[in-house]
Amino acid sequence: MPSSTPSPEPCTAAPVLIFDSGVGGLSVVRALRAQLPGVPLAYVCDNAAMPYGTKPDHWLVQRIVAVCLAAVAASGARALVVACNTASTLALDALRAALSIPVVGTVPAIKPAAALSGSGVIGLLATSATVTRPYTDKLINDFAGHCTVVRVAADGLVEQAERLLAGEPLDDRGLDQGLAPLWRDAGLDTVVLGCTHFPLLRDRFDARAPRPVQWVDSGAAIARRVAQVLDTLPPAVNTTGDSAWATGPVSPGLIRGFAGFGFGEPRPLPLPAPSPTP
Ligand code: DGL
């Protein structure tokens, strides 16, 4: 007689893969580790092409799809988190068309920031690409139509976050210059950290702000969304440790930075054909 005991759920070591141009996705990893401890993660950074925020859109779409396809294959991932606003506001549709696993994106937290602001003046601190994207225009129209949104392109701060993670000294003048346009409107009380690199610098931003403001990022919301997606997939256990990949060389300081987030030394990610720099 066949047993009536239900067969155990299939278990897998397949990780959730986090993708960013650089270390910014580690701010999302922090939120994932807090909300989903024990879920195997993998990480890929396209550091050979960083920064993304100043590159042309047509080049970026092809590059992002090529890197994510290669990294999903290398890691055997069961879901992809695009932990990059610059990539998500441009390439989510292309990634979903190219991949058969669920893809979770990261977009600037305009909606919660608009709800939190008392004055109705909010800042959007992001890359040049993200502050000008139609996707961002739509988010602002849909959720912050009643607010004044001060858009600040702060590409230089991406490099500062990379330095922080590598244990290198930061440039205080560079930090102040990046933040300066936020302070011109005395009513601004809330700032969207619309680049995943920036939550890593949040304490530095706070220390340099001339008045208290609320900093809002997307990390916790992304982790909630990933939890929903994982509920629809077989459970996973970590059997091998969390792996990372990079498209370019990684300094000893950054290797230590990755280790601080639970990842092994990033391995080189082979790409099918090198994308010439735009
Ligand atoms: N971390 C990325 C983001 O969220 C961008 C960094 C870059 O410009 O490469 O937009």
Side-chain angles (χ1 to χ4, degrees), residues 76-204:
R78 59 190 174 139
L80 170 69
V81 177
V82 184
C84 175
N85 295 263
T86 308
S88 297
T89 52
L90 178 70
L92 277 182
D93 289 346
L95 283 168
R96 288 187 174 128
L99 287 163
S100 57
I101 58 172
V103 178
V104 175
T106 303
V107 295
I110 299 285
K111 185 180 179 182
L116 271 176
S117 173
S119 65
V121 184
I122 65 178
L124 169 60
L125 191 69
T127 64
S128 329
T130 298
V131 295
T132 54
R133 287 258 159 79
Y135 197 114
T136 304
D137 294 340
K138 185 166 171 10
L139 279 177
I140 291 172
N141 286 339
D142 289 353
F143 301 117
H146 57 294
C147 293
T148 300
V149 180
V150 180
R151 304 186 198 209
V152 178
D155 298 290
L157 297 178
V158 171
E159 179 57 28
Q160 296 285 323
E162 294 282 329
R163 296 179 69 82
L164 183 77
L165 255 287
E168 294 166 14
L170 303 197
D171 166 13
D172 285 345
R173 249 186 84 211
L175 288 173
D176 288 339
Q177 279 169 357
L179 298 174
L182 292 171
W183 315 129
R184 291 184 194 138
D185 188 324
L188 179 144
D189 67 355
T190 304
V191 180
V192 177
L193 298 175
C195 168
T196 52
H197 278 74
F198 299 167
L200 300 170
L201 293 167
R202 187 183 171 136
D203 291 349
R204 307 297 177 113

Side-chain angles (χ1 to χ4, degrees), residues 238-251:
N238 200 339
T239 52
T240 55
D242 286 338
S243 301
W245 285 264
T247 56
V250 180
S251 68

Side-chain angles (χ1 to χ4, degrees), residues 5-98:
T5 315
S7 55
E9 284 278 308
C11 214
T12 159
V16 175
L17 175 66
I18 318 303
F19 160 69
D20 183 37
S21 58
V23 300
L26 294 174
S27 69
V28 176
V29 167
R30 189 156 58 196
L32 288 166
R33 298 252 192 243
Q35 275 192 49
L36 299 166
V39 168
L41 302 181
Y43 195 93
V44 58
C45 62
D46 187 11
N47 58 337
M50 196 190 58
Y52 274 1
T54 51
K55 300 226 165 31
D57 286 2
H58 67 276
W59 184 87
L60 274 179
V61 175
Q62 284 179 17
R63 175 76 184 188
I64 290 163
V65 171
V67 171
C68 289
L69 280 176
V72 166
S75 62
R78 59 190 174 139
L80 170 69
V81 177
V82 184
C84 175
N85 295 263
T86 308
S88 297
T89 52
L90 178 70
L92 277 182
D93 289 346
L95 283 168
R96 288 187 174 128

